[in-house]
Amino acid sequence: MKEQNAGYIRHRMGLAWEMSPGATFSAFHAFLEAGKLAGLRCTRCRKVYLPPRPVCGDCYMPLSEWFEVSDRGSVEGFTVSHHPILDPVTGSARPTPYASLLVRLDGASTSINHYLRGADPRTAAIGMRVRAVWREPRRTLMDLLGFEPTGGGEDAAFPRPLEAPDLKPAARVQVNLDIPFAYAVGRGGRWFCDGLRSGRILASRCGACAKTLVPCRSFCPSCFRRFAESDLREVGPGGAVAAAAGAPSPPLGLIRLDGADTLFVHHVRARRGVRVTALFKPTEERRGDPLDIEAFVPVEASA
């Protein structure tokens, strides 16, 4: 879903990637799925790390002793914010005010950071008793939604020793995000997007330093000369792939467009060094944003 309105490109970006948790977090995830929060304890200094880590940060000892800690703890520090930020998981602005907490769970020697839930952020206080709120089923720390006040006392029975789980080969963790964003295109960006809507790739030609910059800009970053519409030049749509990444699909690449002095980032369906050309969407589907170009494809494939 894309639209351009009042100088903004609005778009929803679907991000999907896999993370390899390694042996330590594979065990942590196995405990988590079983309903237990597990940390690793140092045999020398007795510090219990949550989240777990393979080596003690103080003693440099390899860690192998698993201990269960409570999902309740105490607030060690907090910040109440009145400026909205984009939540990195949802992509939406977090309502203000909100409180970020530094929480030490009972039985742990380290603290974790997350948001206060289910209470007025202005009630946050050092020593406040809280408990973890989870999305079910629990699989990773991404399922920790925050902490809510309990008003209860300490859980004195933690930490509790755990037997290391029998692990299969470490499974990859799949993370899927759907993030909306609004990009302010600015004066140069509007020229560029208007060009894309008509099937052209526009650049700015600096008369002072003789550089042709794509996408077109409001001013030259080298000599700071302000550009006007008379400085616009059409480049491409052909060029050569200067570099390409392996993912996502199609992968991103750097394209040296014919007539341009700077590289252009977009999806490419070719390897480094191959001549490509822009594959535009049909005219009726163009919205005036960079995704009006589907990808850069080999010249012979576009014929």
Side-chain angles (χ1 to χ4, degrees):
M1 182 183 72
K2 304 177 293 295
E3 62 180 271
Q4 183 178 347
N5 183 27
Y8 287 87
I9 295 173
R10 302 184 186 276
H11 181 55
R12 299 194 71 91
M13 178 181 289
L15 298 178
W17 74 91
E18 289 183 335
M19 298 182 293
S20 179
T24 297
F25 265 86
S26 291
F28 176 75
H29 293 157
F31 283 124
L32 198 60
E33 289 183 14
K36 295 181 180 353
L37 266 175
L40 278 169
R41 188 173 77 172
C42 177
T43 56
R44 179 178 293 173
C45 69
R46 318 300 280 179
K47 180 181 285 188
V48 177
Y49 286 93
L50 181 80
R53 55 191 296 174
V55 176
C56 177
D58 292 333
C59 306
Y60 307 109
M61 293 283 292
L63 304 182
S64 59
E65 293 184 347
W66 287 97
F67 280 78
E68 182 182 4
V69 304
S70 176
D71 67 350
R72 298 172 182 246
S74 299
V75 174
E76 293 197 313
F78 67 92
T79 300
V80 178
S81 300
H82 297 269
H83 180 73
I85 62 167
L86 288 181
D87 188 296
V89 175
T90 66
S92 301
R94 178 167 288 275
T96 57
Y98 60 91
S100 301
L101 308 179
L102 193 63
V103 177
R104 181 173 296 195
L105 295 174
D106 297 338
S109 307
T110 56
S111 302
I112 57 178
N113 180 275
H114 219 299
Y115 297 112
L116 176 67
R117 292 173 59 93
D120 187 332
R122 290 164 292 194
T123 63
I126 302 296
M128 172 188 280
R129 294 292 294 169
V130 293
R131 67 179 164 209
V133 180
W134 295 93
R135 179 191 300 111
E136 299 293 347
R138 307 177 194 180
R139 293 191 177 93
T140 74
L141 274 180
M142 293 284 287
D143 295 317
L144 177 59
L145 302 177
F147 292 95
E148 64 182 11
T150 65
E154 295 185 2
D155 293 322
F158 291 95
R160 300 169 179 168
L162 292 168
E163 289 189 16
D166 236 350
L167 286 179
K168 302 173 183 176
R172 292 181 179 271
V173 176
Q174 180 78 37
V175 179
N176 297 292
L177 301 178
D178 180 30
I179 301 179
F181 68 90
Y183 176 72
V185 296
R187 188 167 60 106
R190 284 194 293 273
W191 294 335
F192 182 69
C193 290
D194 287 344
L196 292 175
R197 189 181 287 109
S198 63
R200 300 180 300 153
I201 302 176
L202 297 180
S204 298
R205 174 70 175 178
C206 180
C209 62
K211 290 182 179 178
T212 303
L213 312 170
V214 61
C216 44
R217 324 285 173 88
S218 299
F219 64 91
C220 176
S222 299
C223 63
F224 305 108
R225 176 177 174 269
R226 183 178 174 84
F227 290 137
E229 286 192 67
S230 58
D231 296 309
L232 297 178
R233 301 289 186 275
E234 187 172 352
V235 296
V241 178
S249 180
L252 291 172
L254 295 173
I255 304 101
R256 190 175 299 279
L257 291 167
D258 297 339
D261 294 307
T262 55
L263 297 173
F264 184 57
V265 180
H266 212 289
H267 293 294
V268 294
R269 297 176 184 169
R271 64 182 184 277
R272 183 175 179 270
V274 172
R275 289 283 303 173
V276 291
T277 189
L279 178 63
F280 279 88
K281 291 180 178 178
T283 303
E284 63 275 10
E285 295 181 17
R286 297 175 198 162
R287 301 296 183 89
D289 74 43
L291 294 183
D292 287 344
I293 300 174
E294 290 187 9
F296 282 81
V297 300
V299 172
E300 59 270 19
S302 67

